[in-house]
Amino acid sequence: MNSAKNAPPPAKLTAPMGLKHRNTLGLDCMAESAYEITASDQLPSLIRTLEEQKRTWRVLGGGSNVILPKQLDGATLLMNISGQEIIHADEKNTLLAVGAGVNWHELVAWTLEQDLPGLENLALIPGTVGAAPIQNIGAYGVEVGQYIDHIEAFDSVAQAFVTLSQEACQFAYRDSYLKQHPTRFIVTKVVFQIPKAWQARIHYADLAKYFADQESKLNAEQIFTAVCKIRMQKLPDPKVIGNAGSFFHNPVVAQEQHAALIAQFPDLVSYADAMGKRKLAAGWLIDQCGFKGKQIGPVGVYEKQALVLVNHGGASAADILELASLIQYQVKEKFGVQLTIEPSIL
Ligand SMILES: Cc1cc2nc3c(=O)[nH]c(=O)nc-3n(C[C@H](O)[C@H](O)[C@H](O)COP(=O)(O)OP(=O)(O)OC[C@H]3O[C@@H](n4cnc5c(N)ncnc54)[C@H](O)[C@@H]3O)c2cc1C
C-alpha cells in the first residue's frame, strides 16, 4: 500500500470532453466526464467511487477500435500509463514490462532498437499496448498473444489488482478472456516474453511477394520496413480519412461449408485455420457484393480494401452501423455467411 506521501495524484478530470480526436473513425463524441489515468494506483478509489455513485464507465485507449456515440454518459477512463523496461533477460528470453498507455507502434520500433526482434510483423497497428491483448491484435501471420507472458489488470469485480497468465487470457482469433468480459478488467501493464531465437515470418502473400527477389538472409528491420510500406499502401491513414481498420472479422466456417461455397464460387479467398476450419476473406465477400468504393451519405467502403469502412466527414455511429448492417445483410444473402463487427460499440 502506498503511503500518502508516495500516492499518485488523483486522475485528472475533464468534464465534459470532446473525443473526436481520440477515435480514429473521427466521430463527434462528447464524454460527460473523462479521467486521465497515468498510474494504476489511481484506479481502486476511482472505480469504487464511480460504482458507489452508480455511474457507468469504460476504458479508452487510442480509440482505433471503437465506435463512439454522440454522447458518452458516465466516466471515460483515458488510459495514459507510460513506461517500458526490460525486467529480466536470460539466454532464452527477454521479459519486457510495458505501461498500458504506451503507443503500440512505438513499442515495436523500440524493441528493434533494443535488438529484441519478434514483434515486427505487428508494426504500424494503431492504438495502445493495453488494448493489444483485448482482441489479440494480429497481422501478417503473427498474433500478440504468443508474445505475452502475463498481464496486470485491475479487476473491477474483485476490486483488486490481478495477474493474468497467457493461458488465463485465452487468446484466440481477435478474441481473449478480457474481451469476453468487457469492463471487468482494466489492463494496466503488459509483460512480454521475447524469445532470443528469431525467425523471419514472411509466409503471408503480401510479404512473400515483397521479398520474392530477396536472396540474402532477412533481418527484422527489413520486415518492419516492408510491413510499414505495405500497410501504408493498402490501408487508409486515419489522420487523412477516418476508419477503424478491418471493420469485420474474417468469418471462420467448417470444411463442409467451405467446400459448398467453393463449388459455387471457385474464386473464393480463404485461409487454413489453426482449428482445422477455413477462414474466409471478409473483404473478398464484401467486394463480391459490389461495395468496394461505394459511398452512402457520409460513410463508405474504402476503395482499395473492402474490409475497411470510412468516414468521409461528419458521420455518426448510426451512419456507420447502418452501412455495416446493409453489408452484413447482402453478404448473408449471397454467401449464407454472417459477418461480425470487430470494433467495440461503446
Ligand atoms: C488503420 C487501422 C489499422 C488496424 N490494423 C489492425 C491490424 O492489423 N490488426 C489488428 O488486430 N487490429 C488492427 N486495428 C485495430 C486496432 O488498432 C487495435 O484493435 C488496437 O489494439 C486498438 O487499440 P486502442 O488503444 O486504440 O483501443 P481502443 O480503440 O481505445 O479500445 C478498444 C477496446 O479495448 C478496450 N480497452 C482499451 N484499452 C484498454 C485497457 N487498458 N484495459 C481494458 N480495456 C481496454 C476499450 O474499452 C475497447 O473496448 C487497426 C485499426 C486501424 C484504425
Side-chain angles (χ1 to χ4, degrees):
M1 192 90 168
N2 274 306
S3 68
K5 200 172 158 214
N6 292 331
K12 186 178 164 223
L13 166 67
T14 309
M17 182 190 258
L19 296 177
K20 186 172 181 166
H21 300 292
R22 195 148 172 159
N23 77 101
T24 59
L25 266 166
L27 302 176
D28 264 319
C29 172
M30 190 55 74
E32 185 186 349
S33 60
Y35 291 87
E36 194 186 333
I37 306 300
T38 52
S40 56
D41 289 350
Q42 294 166 331
L43 290 168
S45 63
L46 176 60
I47 299 298
R48 202 180 325 111
T49 307
L50 291 171
E51 299 208 335
E52 277 165 12
Q53 294 171 348
K54 304 214 177 328
R55 293 172 69 204
T56 54
W57 58 270
R58 81 288 305 162
V59 184
L60 190 64
S64 63
N65 212 22
V66 287
I67 303 171
L68 299 181
K70 283 206 167 81
Q71 176 73 37
L72 257 184
D73 294 334
T76 300
L77 277 47
L78 304 176
M79 182 45 73
N80 288 353
I81 299 175
S82 61
Q84 55 206 40
E85 58 170 332
I86 293 168
I87 54 170
H88 176 81
D90 58 33
E91 65 283 2
K92 282 198 172 152
N93 296 300
T94 303
L95 289 185
L96 200 59
V98 188
V102 170
N103 176 276
W104 173 260
H105 174 73
E106 283 170 20
L107 172 72
V108 175
W110 185 80
T111 55
L112 295 184
E113 281 162 29
Q114 305 301 310
D115 197 21
L116 296 172
L119 302 177
E120 58 282 349
N121 290 44
L122 303 176
L124 223 56
I125 297 180
T128 54
V129 165
I134 305 292
Q135 73 151 4
N136 185 22
I137 56 168
Y140 301 101
V142 174
E143 287 182 336
V144 75
Q146 52 196 103
Y147 288 96
I148 290 178
D149 184 75
H150 66 270
I151 281 166
E152 292 181 18
F154 184 70
D155 179 345
S156 64
V157 173
Q159 292 283 323
F161 285 100
V162 290
T163 298
L164 295 168
S165 65
Q166 184 193 59
E167 198 185 5
C169 289
Q170 298 177 14
F171 292 119
Y173 168 60
R174 298 300 169 275
D175 202 7
S176 70
Y177 184 76
L178 304 149
K179 188 166 181 184
Q180 294 296 325
H181 296 82
T183 73
R184 174 169 173 185
F185 300 101
I186 303 173
V187 177
T188 55
K189 188 187 276 183
V190 180
V191 177
F192 296 90
Q193 178 176 287
I194 315 282
K196 286 266 159 74
W198 178 83
Q199 227 184 340
R201 283 140 317 164
I202 56 161
H203 54 286
Y204 256 51
D206 286 339
L207 274 180
K209 196 169 148 205
Y210 187 96
F211 289 115
D213 300 327
Q214 178 88 20
E215 280 166 14
S216 57
K217 227 172 146 221
L218 286 174
N219 62 39
E221 283 76 13
Q222 288 170 297
I223 296 174
F224 174 87
T225 305
V227 168
C228 292
K229 280 191 183 160
I230 294 168
R231 291 184 70 101
M232 283 191 282
Q233 276 163 14
K234 288 201 134 185
L235 292 168
D237 178 356
K239 289 193 191 98
V240 180
I241 182 159
N243 75 93
S246 304
F247 200 86
F248 300 100
H249 290 157
N250 287 320
V252 177
V253 300
Q255 293 286 356
E256 304 76 59
Q257 189 178 358
H258 175 253
L261 281 166
I262 276 281
Q264 214 185 337
F265 305 99
D267 298 334
L268 180 77
V269 179
S270 72
Y271 310 92
D273 169 69
M275 307 302 283
K277 295 183 170 184
R278 297 295 298 186
K279 200 188 277 180
L280 309 181
W284 186 86
L285 302 174
I286 298 166
D287 193 8
Q288 295 302 302
C289 294
F291 280 107
K292 201 191 247 179
K294 274 254 169 79
Q295 182 170 351
I296 299 178
V299 291
V301 176
Y302 188 50
E303 70 221 5
K304 291 192 207 160
Q305 169 53 275
L307 196 48
V308 178
L309 302 196
V310 293
N311 174 6
H312 288 290
S316 66
D319 296 322
I320 294 273
L321 293 173
E322 206 174 305
L323 174 59
S325 65
L326 183 64
I327 292 171
Q328 285 172 313
Y329 174 78
Q330 294 206 7
V331 167
K332 178 86 179 169
E333 282 285 294
K334 192 171 170 90
F335 299 101
V337 171
Q338 183 62 45
L339 291 181
T340 307
I341 292 176
E342 183 182 296
S344 307
I345 303 168
L346 295 187

